[in-house]
Structures are given as C-alpha cells and as structure tokens.
Amino acid sequence: MRAVIVDCAIYRDGRRTDGPADFSDALDEARAEGDAFLWLGLHEPTEKEFGMVSSEFGLHPLAVEDALTAHQRPKLEVYDDSLFVVLKPVAYESETDTVTTGELMVFIGDSFVVTVRHGEGAALSVVRQRLEAEPEVLKHGPTSVLYAISDAIVDHYIEVAVELQVDLEELEAEVFAPDSGGRGTSSASGTPTAARIYGFKRQVLEFRRASGPLAAPMARLASAGVPFVHQRSQPFFRDVNDHLLHANEQVEGLDRLLTDILSAHLAQMGVRQNDDMRKISAWAAMAAVPTLIAGIYGMNFRHMPELGTVWGYPAVLCLMIALIIGLHRTFKRRGWL
C-alpha cells in the first residue's frame, strides 16, 4: 500500500502537521479535531489497494469504479458523502509535436481530500508545496486543494496552447514561404505537409477533449450550492473558469488556424498542378505541330505537292521550326512555360 501512497498529511489551520502514519488513524484524528483535514495522494492504485481507501473514506462505488478504470471525461459528480471531480492535465512534446493527457481524480468529503493520479505527468508535489507555502489559502480546507489543483492544470493548458501556437506559426510560415511553390513535402522534416497538418489537428483534438468538457464543472464550482465546497471559494473558481475559457478560446483558434492552413496548402497544390498541366499541354502542342506535318507527308501518296522539288524537304523543316518557335514564344508570353 505504501508503494501507491505518494504523500499523506494532516493540515491544521493551513499548516502541515505530524500525524499517524496510518491513513485510517490520520483520518480519525483529523475528523476529531474538526478544523483539520487529511490529504492523501495516490498514484495508480490497484483495485484491492483502492478498496482499502474507499471503505475507510466511504467513497461511492461508482466514483471508485471511475477512479480505477480511468479514461474518463472531465466531470463533477456529487454523492451523499463526497464530491468527485475528474481532471485531465495535458503535456506537449515539441520535438515530436505530440500532446499527451493524464488523469487526475479528486475526492472531497468530511475532513479529507483523496487524489488519484494516472500517468507520469501532472505530479502534485509542486502544487502541494505551493499550497503549504500559502497557509491563508490552505486554511479553507479541502476546497483549497481542489482549487489549487484546478488552477495549476488550467494554467498549464494555456502554456501548452502557447507552445502549440508557436509551432503552428512555424508550419504556417513554411506553407506560405515564397520558395515553397506549393510543394507537398515539408522541407524541414521531409514529412508530407498535409500529413503534418493532420497530425497537428489530432493533437489539438486531444487537447480539446481535455479542456472542453471541463468548462461545465468549473462553471458549477464557481456558483453557489455545491456540497463540500467552501462558501467563500466561488471567486477563486471563477478565476479558474476565466482562465479555462481563455484556454478553450486558444484551442478553438488553433483548430481554425489549422483548417485555414490546410485549405491554403490544398489550394496551393491545386494551383501547382494546374501550372504543371499547362506546361505539359504547351509542350504537347509544340510536339503536335511537327508530328502533324510529318504525318501528312508520311502517307506515301505518289502525287503530293513539293515531293518532287529540291527545296521541299528543307522548307518543311524550316516551317516546323518556325511554328515551334512561334508557339513557344506565345506560351511563354502567356505564362504557360
């Protein structure tokens, strides 16, 4: 059990204090004092391990099932004895242009907070340290933990959106570069440009799956009447909700930008193909003129004009060359070559 417990501490009046090593005894002590609460952090517990926690804290079976199964949408569920919140932190690897998501479940109840983390990202040690440095916030009880976690995750949304924006602007500049010529392959990576754009769209979609559904739970927490949430916490959650709306607007802007880049790239490819077809048609027209004349004089009829004249053969050759030069200049003037 100790392998999955990241941290376990009792907080009194906004400050961390020593308590029993066993989380069951620590919970009893926190509830006995009234103004204290227990924060238990877990990382990927098994069903048996989390069963010990859920039975001690009185967690609802449906929430326990969601916490163990993972792969949940961000949501807020209110049960008789606890409040259950699902959050999805995101991370961005700029080298591989990949957005990865984790999962973080938060249980809030009578004098306790239980956090269950899935994945390697979204470690809560930094959040815990920051909260412990701000006792005025931490003294508001379990609600302050939910606020700090939500605030950290949403702030990171904005950071990831900015990183995506930078990479997408680089891709946009590459697509619209004067020397790109509507090429279908990225000069930097050798990957087809359309494939890179579609890859970015998949990453933005993964981002939207994490940030979009969180809007409703944050709006609900920012309003009054949510059980187990401190009555004075609404301004804090409204601030988180504002940041989340800003992050969602950035994500929607990224998606629109990707659509515009893809449309522009496909339009460039169409123009490039039209130019190629015009060039091919021009060269085919220039090849068709001498082919037509040679075909006429190659029909082997006995009585044909100029067959018996000395100057007939060079005259036809000169006519072919003159026609080809004339067509070449005409096509060049019109921009077909």
Side-chain angles (χ1 to χ4, degrees):
M1 187 65 197
R2 291 184 178 275
V4 301
I5 296 179
V6 179
D7 201 349
C8 179
I10 297 176
Y11 295 89
R12 298 179 177 88
D13 196 27
R15 300 186 181 278
R16 180 171 181 149
T17 59
D18 295 331
D22 184 76
F23 65 84
S24 178
D25 296 336
L27 178 62
D28 293 337
E29 182 176 324
R31 285 176 172 173
E33 295 188 12
D35 60 344
F37 71 93
L38 173 69
W39 182 358
L40 176 65
L42 305 176
H43 179 236
E44 296 184 350
T46 63
E47 182 177 356
K48 180 179 179 180
E49 292 167 339
F50 198 58
M52 300 171 58
V53 176
S54 62
S55 61
E56 184 65 34
F57 287 82
L59 305 179
H60 196 278
L62 293 177
V64 171
E65 181 182 356
D66 289 343
L68 290 173
T69 305
H71 304 292
Q72 302 293 319
R73 286 167 54 90
K75 62 180 181 179
L76 169 65
E77 298 287 350
V78 179
Y79 298 100
D80 294 335
D81 299 324
S82 62
L83 182 71
F84 178 59
V85 181
V86 178
L87 304 167
K88 293 183 75 70
V90 299
Y92 179 60
E93 293 291 338
S94 58
E95 296 181 357
T96 58
D97 298 334
T98 303
V99 173
T100 57
T101 60
E103 291 198 38
L104 186 61
M105 286 75 171
V106 183
F107 294 87
I108 293 181
D110 180 20
S111 302
F112 72 83
V113 177
V114 177
T115 55
V116 182
R117 180 167 58 90
H118 291 271
E120 296 300 325
L124 297 179
S125 57
V126 176
V127 177
R128 190 185 287 259
Q129 293 173 4
R130 188 178 66 183
L131 264 179
E132 291 175 355
E134 300 177 356
E136 292 299 321
V137 177
L138 194 57
K139 69 189 303 183
H140 289 91
T143 304
S144 62
V145 177
L146 178 59
Y147 157 71
I149 294 174
S150 304
D151 185 56
I153 290 176
V154 171
D155 285 347
H156 195 59
Y157 284 169
I158 297 176
E159 295 175 4
V160 170
V162 171
E163 293 178 3
L164 277 170
Q165 180 74 34
V166 172
D167 286 351
L168 288 181
E169 287 177 354
E170 293 178 357
L171 178 59
E172 182 183 26
E174 185 176 319
V175 170
F176 290 102
D179 59 345
S180 64
R183 60 175 179 265
T185 304
S186 170
S187 60
S189 61
T191 306
T193 304
R196 288 191 63 195
I197 297 173
Y198 276 116
F200 267 112
K201 285 187 73 70
R202 290 183 62 86
Q203 304 311 315
V204 172
L205 177 60
E206 187 72 16
F207 195 167
R208 293 183 68 174
R209 288 174 180 170
S211 64
L214 186 59
M218 283 298 108
R220 189 176 176 186
L221 288 170
S223 61
V226 181
F228 306 104
V229 176
H230 198 279
Q231 59 182 357
R232 297 181 180 178
S233 64
Q234 279 74 38
F236 297 95
F237 285 109
R238 279 199 296 269
D239 181 67
V240 176
N241 191 43
D242 289 340
H243 292 175
L244 179 61
L245 292 176
H246 178 56
N248 285 334
E249 289 175 356
Q250 286 183 295
V251 174
E252 292 177 2
L254 292 173
D255 189 54
R256 289 194 299 269
L257 177 61
L258 280 167
T259 301
D260 294 341
I261 293 175
L262 180 59
S263 299
H265 173 66
L266 295 178
Q268 283 184 330
M269 294 295 294
V271 171
R272 176 66 180 272
Q273 290 175 352
N274 290 336
D275 290 340
D276 292 341
M277 289 301 299
R278 285 190 298 182
K279 291 179 181 179
I280 293 173
S281 300
W283 286 110
M286 288 187 291
V289 171
T291 302
L292 175 63
I293 298 174
I296 292 175
Y297 281 92
M299 290 188 293
N300 296 322
F301 287 106
R302 178 172 298 180
H303 301 288
M304 293 184 69
E306 295 86 27
L307 288 180
T309 60
V310 177
W311 49 267
Y313 179 69
V316 170
L317 288 180
C318 291
L319 176 62
M320 291 181 182
I321 295 173
L323 290 174
I324 292 174
I325 293 175
L327 288 174
H328 185 274
R329 289 183 176 179
T330 301
F331 292 144
K332 194 75 172 179
R333 190 183 308 115
R334 294 184 178 183
W336 284 35
L337 292 174

